[in-house]
């Protein structure tokens, strides 16, 4: 299972109000779960960086 799929599984199980909370900071920009999902689903460079940071933080294994 790739990192994008793992992220989307975690995202799908989050309560709706928690999706608006900050999950990671990239380039001094705090990103919510919703913003991270958009970047990751669109396969942007920032999306890849988000996935790498989530792995480092232990949010994605």
């Amino acid at each position: 299972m790739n990192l994008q799929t793992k992220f989307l599984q975690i995202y799908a199980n989050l309560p709706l109000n928690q999706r608006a909370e900050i999950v990671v900071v990239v380039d001094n920009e705090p990103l919510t779960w919703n913003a991270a999902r958009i970047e990751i689903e669109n396969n942007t460079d920032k999306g890849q960086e988000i996935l790498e940071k989530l792995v480092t933080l232990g949010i994605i294994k």
Side-chain angles (χ1 to χ4, degrees), residues 3-4 9-11 17 25-26 30 37 41 45 47 49-52 54:
L3 293 178
Q4 182 178 12
Q9 284 184 334
I10 294 167
Y11 180 85
N17 61 344
V25 177
V26 177
R37 180 186 57 83
E41 284 185 338
D45 290 338
E49 189 174 349
I50 292 166
L51 288 172
E52 291 169 7
L54 293 176

Side-chain angles (χ1 to χ4, degrees), residues 12-32:
N13 288 309
L14 288 174
L16 293 177
N17 61 344
Q18 191 173 1
R19 294 178 183 180
E21 294 180 12
I22 295 169
V23 65
V24 69
V25 177
V26 177
D27 298 329
N28 292 323
E29 179 183 357
L31 297 168
T32 64

Side-chain angles (χ1 to χ4, degrees), residues 35-36 38-51:
I38 292 167
E39 295 290 341
I40 291 167
E41 284 185 338
N42 288 307
N43 295 316
T44 65
D45 290 338
K46 186 177 276 190
Q48 187 59 40
E49 189 174 349
I50 292 166
L51 288 172

